[in-house]
Amino acid sequence: MSVTRTGEPEAPAGPDPHRWWALVVIALAQLMVVLDATIVNIALPSAQRDLGMSDGNRQWVITAYTLAFGGLLLLGGRVADLVGRKRTFVIGLIGFAAASGLGGAATTSGMLFAARALQGAFAALLAPSALSLLTTTFTDPRERGKAFGIYGALAGSGAAIGFIVGGLLTEYLNWRWCLYVNIPIAVVAVFGAFGLLRDRPGHKDVRLDVPGAVLGCGGLVAIVYGFAEAESRGWTDALVLGLLTGGVALLAVFVWWQNRAPSPLLPLHIVKDRNRAGCFLTMGLAVIGMFGVFLFMTYYLQVVLAYSPMKTGLAFLPLTVAIIIGSTQISARLLPRVAPRALMVPGMVLAACGMLVFTRLTVDSDYAGELLPGLLLLGLGMGLTFMPVFATATAGVAPQDAGVTSATVNTSQQVGGSIGTALLNTIATTSSTAYVAAHLRDPAQKALVVREGTVHGYTVAIWWAVGIMLLAGLIAGLMVTAKAPRHAPTDTAVPESVT
């Protein structure tokens, strides 16, 4: 669940008699954003074949969305404060639906990439305004807790629904319906928003840090594009080095500007706190590894093991269940009694162990004996980590910083997913190419060697993911020194794309 800067809640006078129906509308929007994280993963192999994407470029279907979403999330919250949350919510819904229609009708890979970026941009408007409306609609503490529980549950269950719906639509219709399905959901939510949601006008004194958004997004796009180009050009190519260097330079200027901007997107005092900085880094690094593995497992199941899209979606369900159990039944129960890093460090080690299982994959690995244990370990590890990261990052912040702090955790998640998908995909494809070149001696064996090379590339990239997960655990152990909270966290945000 993405959270952004909302300021102090502005409750309408008296409880809204339609507030529970309003929750349905807000939940529909949240479900649509969460579904899009997993539903497109299942459809990606079919879309790649249909549009002729290269292995190096396929990752843009994922990263175009996560880059725009994560890079513009903080700005989206400011826009909601400026023009009004209900208006921003409706604009986000309409724009998301239009971008989904454009993606579903895509005739080229570039058209699909652009549509996914537009989806991410409108999701950056939609997600923070949805949460803000939830906050202002439910003013009674008891009702608000129940509403937040329903809203947060969608972030976990929505991912599982995405796997199943993505498999069904891809197998029985085609991959384009994984994007078209957003249109009827958005239409219902728009009509519901006009009839059920209440909101006050925006604050005209809110300033938008457009230069900050341009610098931050520009730097991230340059780095991800550099990683993607390294697949075909090599790491020492002048363009690749220029993109990576330029991206780092833009991010450095972004940090400099945030110290001087009259209304910065990211007030730097938030990231100067040791515990929060450790949580941001842990989340970003954890998702770098996790998103890359999602991409490889989708292709491994559908392309190497010849699973149907529906069977692939069902194969991911144990991972989703393990994340929910680790987060709600283990972390949530232990966090009031133990230090956050006592959950985060074992969580990252468990996740790394799950990935170690995947490094042993072959062209004919068994799901129950080799894939399932890795999925369960990875899910439990991520579940153990996510809850304390969000609870610790948002603990003890000033009321005016609560929204932007939570948004920064979600931004680190989306940015980590973008970088991880691009970097690990490049490592996998270059390793596969090198393997095939070294082992293809008999043309009659080409199909087998290519399959073996593909799996070899995945396992090499997963070894890198193991190292990144262990680095995340090390950072959590060294930087997150907060003690156990006295009370269980309430209204703890749940990651937007936990799976």
Side-chain angles (χ1 to χ4, degrees):
M1 174 169 59
S2 294
V3 188
T4 190
R5 190 184 185 97
T6 61
E8 293 297 327
E10 296 177 350
D16 185 349
H18 304 297
R19 58 193 179 279
W20 293 107
W21 283 109
L23 175 61
V24 173
V25 173
I26 297 169
L28 273 177
Q30 169 71 359
L31 181 62
M32 185 173 65
V33 173
V34 174
L35 279 175
D36 231 62
T38 53
I39 198 172
V40 174
N41 262 336
I42 300 298
L44 186 50
S46 300
Q48 181 180 0
R49 289 193 300 269
D50 196 11
L51 299 181
M53 298 177 212
S54 69
D55 286 345
N57 285 335
R58 66 190 177 192
Q59 52 86 19
W60 282 108
V61 177
I62 307 299
T63 53
Y65 179 82
T66 54
L67 265 178
F69 191 6
L72 297 174
L73 185 58
L74 291 167
L75 185 65
R78 296 281 192 172
V79 171
D81 289 339
L82 176 64
V83 305
R85 293 143 187 170
K86 178 178 175 178
R87 184 180 299 174
T88 305
F89 182 78
V90 171
I91 292 171
L93 284 170
I94 295 172
F96 198 93
S100 299
L102 179 66
T107 55
T108 65
S109 57
M111 185 174 174
L112 179 58
F113 300 157
R116 289 288 286 164
L118 282 173
Q119 278 188 307
F122 284 108
L125 291 177
L126 183 58
S129 58
L131 185 68
S132 300
L133 287 166
L134 183 67
T135 302
T136 56
T137 300
F138 290 89
T139 55
D140 179 81
R142 293 182 181 179
E143 288 191 347
R144 180 180 292 184
K146 184 177 180 180
F148 267 82
I150 296 170
Y151 191 78
L154 285 172
S157 61
I161 295 169
F163 282 129
I164 297 173
V165 173
L168 281 170
L169 293 175
T170 303
E171 187 164 343
Y172 295 108
L173 294 173
N174 60 53
W175 67 268
R176 297 178 185 277
W177 282 95
C178 292
L179 293 161
Y180 288 146
V181 71
N182 293 319
I183 298 175
I185 297 175
V187 169
V188 172
V190 166
F191 280 106
F194 281 123
L196 297 169
L197 296 182
R198 297 167 58 185
D199 187 35
R200 293 183 178 180
H203 301 281
K204 300 302 181 183
D205 57 340
V206 173
R207 296 183 180 182
L208 300 181
D209 183 15
V210 176
V214 171
L215 289 168
C217 280
L220 293 172
V221 169
I223 290 173
V224 171
Y225 188 41
F227 286 151
E229 286 296 300
E231 185 269 332
S232 58
R233 296 173 177 269
W235 291 100
T236 58
D237 180 79
L239 176 62
V240 172
L241 293 175
L243 286 168
L244 296 176
T245 304
V248 172
L250 284 173
L251 292 180
V253 176
F254 169 79
V255 173
W256 171 84
W257 172 249
Q258 294 307 286
N259 265 325
R260 290 158 178 79
S263 184
L265 277 181
L266 179 60
L268 293 183
H269 67 268
I270 290 173
V271 297
K272 289 179 181 178
D273 177 85
R274 175 174 179 159
N275 287 300
R276 281 196 287 273
C279 288
F280 298 152
L281 286 172
T282 300
M283 174 62 81
L285 290 170
V287 177
I288 283 177
M290 189 175 72
F291 268 52
V293 169
F294 286 166
L295 179 67
F296 302 144
M297 287 298 101
T298 298
Y299 274 85
Y300 178 77
L301 291 169
Q302 291 193 43
V303 177
V304 178
L305 297 187
Y307 279 27
S308 68
M310 183 64 200
K311 190 175 179 181
T312 300
L314 292 173
F316 275 109
L317 282 184
L319 172 70
T320 304
V321 172
I323 289 177
I324 295 173
I325 291 174
S327 180
T328 62
Q329 301 304 310
I330 302 177
S331 276
R333 294 175 184 271
L334 292 179
L335 187 57
R337 301 176 179 86
V338 302
R341 64 179 172 183
L343 295 170
M344 295 161 64
V345 174
M348 287 294 89
V349 172
L350 265 181
C353 289
M355 290 187 174
L356 276 174
V357 176
F358 299 144
T359 64
R360 302 173 59 84
L361 293 177
T362 65
V363 294
D364 54 1
S365 291
D366 175 62
Y367 176 82
E370 298 175 70
L371 283 169
L372 182 59
L375 291 171
L376 292 173
L377 287 172
L378 176 61
L380 284 173
M382 299 307 289
L384 281 174
T385 303
F386 280 145
M387 179 65 77
V389 163
F390 270 82
T392 306
T394 56
V397 297
Q400 66 270 21
D401 291 330
V404 72
T405 302
S406 298
T408 305
V409 184
N410 282 282
T411 297
S412 68
Q413 178 190 353
Q414 299 295 333
V415 169
S418 304
I419 293 174
T421 303
L423 174 61
L424 296 179
N425 184 68
T426 292
I427 292 172
T429 51
T430 52
S431 298
S432 296
T433 301
Y435 181 94
V436 172
H439 291 81
L440 184 57
R441 298 180 179 88
D442 182 2
Q445 298 293 317
K446 182 178 180 180
L448 176 61
V449 173
V450 169
R451 288 178 69 213
E452 291 175 343
T454 298
V455 176
H456 172 76
Y458 295 163
T459 57
V460 170
I462 291 170
W463 272 111
W464 280 82
V466 169
I468 292 169
M469 286 288 190
L470 292 176
L471 177 60
L474 180 63
I475 288 174
L478 295 177
M479 293 186 65
V480 182
T481 58
K483 299 185 184 300
R486 294 182 179 179
H487 303 286
T490 58
D491 293 357
T492 302
V494 178
E496 189 76 52
S497 310
V498 292
T499 163

